[in-house]
Amino acid sequence: MTTDTTTKDTAPGAPAPGTTILDARGVTMRFGGLTAVNGVDLTVNSGEIVGLIGPNGAGKTTFFNCLTGLYIPTEGEVRYKGQVLPAKSFKVTAAGIARTFQNIRLFGNMTVLENVLVGRHTRTKEGFWSAVLRGPGFHRAEKASRERATELLEFVGLAHKADHLARNLPYGEQRKLEIARALASEPGLLLLDEPTAGMNPQETRATEELVFAIRDKGIAVLVIEHDMRFIFNLCDRVAVLVQGEKLVEGDSATVQGDERVVAAYLGEPLENDPGAAEAAEVEAAEAAQASETPETPETSETSEADTTTDTAAGKENDR
């Protein structure tokens, strides 16, 4: 008897690779007169890891909030597996989208295992009276939830700390716990908001491997991150938001080679930018004026002294 191992770890009911599971169309979010997100289109396919990058204040987390029901978009719609998502975060979770947050949001006074069990609530069918009466069905459901939570803790490497308080975990392990709690809702799409923020290189590498392992289980991933090396190593596609609008989308090479992305991050003027031309003219005029000014012994001595001072300062910095 042979066993098919290719899909053994795939999430139940996972769509075929390449199927569009998230389709955001024209998503716009306004706060009074401020437009934080403006007409953003984005798709995520099953089996994909998609990155969302941009400078601070570009609207990335606001866009995440629109996808997960924390905000109701002013315009546009968000579809998951072809269905328009309800404008309630718990209903979005029940539909199959889970997320983590930029600022860790754990229940610090609960154990590691209990935190993961919280994430199971959308997948349990026991109601109020079952919890009150605590019949056989309730105990079966509780046992199944604990077994699944323990599996997830083993998956992220925290099974040995199941009974520890969440607040006592190191920072990197708190990030892992938040991911485990999100996975407890059995999502088809996982949204990660800056999962490596504040991590050292070893922790970042471990997170990268964890995200790959999540993808291998059939869960698509959409991730916001400022660590460019991490994002370009990890993602199949990357979309860039600047001032609430999608600037460019493509593979890592396409995005890294786009001069608009470089300008957005580094503040460098684009070619044919009127501001750049004006700055060049000013520099040329200043250079011409300097060349026409006759050199006097006094200015020569001053220049020589300044050069000596600058050189000494440079040597000091080199140390």
Side-chain angles (χ1 to χ4, degrees):
M1 176 178 170
T2 60
T3 302
D4 181 9
T5 59
T6 58
T7 58
K8 181 178 68 172
D9 293 331
T10 300
T19 304
T20 298
I21 58 172
L22 178 73
D23 186 6
R25 304 177 185 177
V27 173
T28 299
M29 188 68 213
R30 297 190 182 94
F31 300 95
L34 173 66
T35 302
V37 177
N38 188 17
V40 174
D41 298 331
L42 186 70
T43 60
V44 179
N45 301 323
S46 59
E48 262 193 326
I49 302 175
V50 178
L52 188 62
I53 65 173
N56 287 329
K60 304 182 295 296
T61 296
T62 299
F63 182 65
F64 259 32
N65 290 341
C66 291
L67 299 181
T68 54
L70 290 178
Y71 294 159
I72 301 174
T74 308
E75 297 175 13
E77 66 177 17
V78 180
R79 292 178 176 269
Y80 177 71
K81 294 183 178 179
Q83 301 296 318
V84 176
L85 286 173
K88 296 287 185 182
S89 57
F90 69 92
K91 292 183 178 180
V92 171
T93 303
I97 297 179
R99 71 169 294 179
T100 64
F101 291 86
Q102 183 176 349
N103 299 316
I104 296 174
R105 299 185 182 181
L106 296 173
F107 299 100
N109 290 324
M110 295 171 64
T111 67
V112 168
L113 178 63
E114 288 169 342
N115 268 272
V116 180
L117 287 172
V118 168
R120 292 289 305 165
H121 77 281
T122 58
R123 298 295 172 238
T124 56
K125 299 179 180 179
E126 301 303 309
F128 173 77
W129 289 111
S130 176
V132 171
L133 299 175
R134 293 180 174 269
F138 172 84
H139 289 292
R140 283 194 300 270
E142 185 177 41
K143 180 181 178 182
S145 291
R146 284 183 172 273
E147 289 175 351
R148 179 56 180 156
T150 301
E151 289 176 4
L152 289 171
L153 288 177
E154 290 176 355
F155 176 67
V156 301
L158 292 178
H160 63 294
K161 294 190 175 181
D163 295 327
H164 292 214
L165 291 181
R167 68 184 182 190
N168 293 334
L169 293 181
Y171 178 82
E173 291 185 348
Q174 289 188 15
R175 285 284 183 189
K176 287 183 178 181
L177 176 56
E178 195 173 34
I179 291 174
R181 185 179 62 184
L183 293 174
S185 66
E186 307 295 346
L189 173 64
L190 177 63
L191 277 59
L192 302 174
D193 195 345
E194 298 194 28
T196 67
M199 289 187 178
N200 61 41
Q202 291 75 23
E203 291 171 331
T204 298
R205 177 59 184 166
T207 301
E208 181 180 321
E209 292 174 353
L210 177 59
V211 175
F212 280 132
I214 291 169
R215 191 269 309 275
D216 291 343
K217 285 183 171 291
I219 301 170
V221 180
L222 177 60
V223 55
I224 293 174
E225 188 52 69
H226 284 292
D227 185 335
M228 293 298 100
R229 179 176 296 179
F230 172 81
I231 209 79
F232 289 131
N233 286 343
L234 185 74
C235 297
D236 302 298
R237 286 187 291 121
V238 178
V240 184
L241 287 188
V242 176
Q243 295 181 354
E245 298 184 359
K246 187 170 76 172
L247 185 66
V248 65
E249 179 181 349
D251 59 23
S252 297
T254 300
V255 172
Q256 291 181 79
D258 195 299
E259 63 176 6
R260 295 171 298 172
V261 177
V262 176
Y265 271 96
L266 302 181
E268 296 179 356
L270 297 175
E271 187 178 355
N272 300 324
D273 185 348
E278 182 179 348
E281 289 177 6
V282 171
E283 287 181 7
E286 290 176 347
Q289 184 178 2
S291 64
E292 292 173 1
T293 303
E295 183 177 333
T296 65
E298 184 179 350
T299 57
S300 177
E301 289 174 7
T302 304
S303 176
E304 200 172 305
D306 289 345
T307 303
T308 304
T309 304
D310 291 344
T311 303
K315 289 181 179 178
E316 184 178 347
N317 290 337
D318 288 342
R319 295 194 203 104

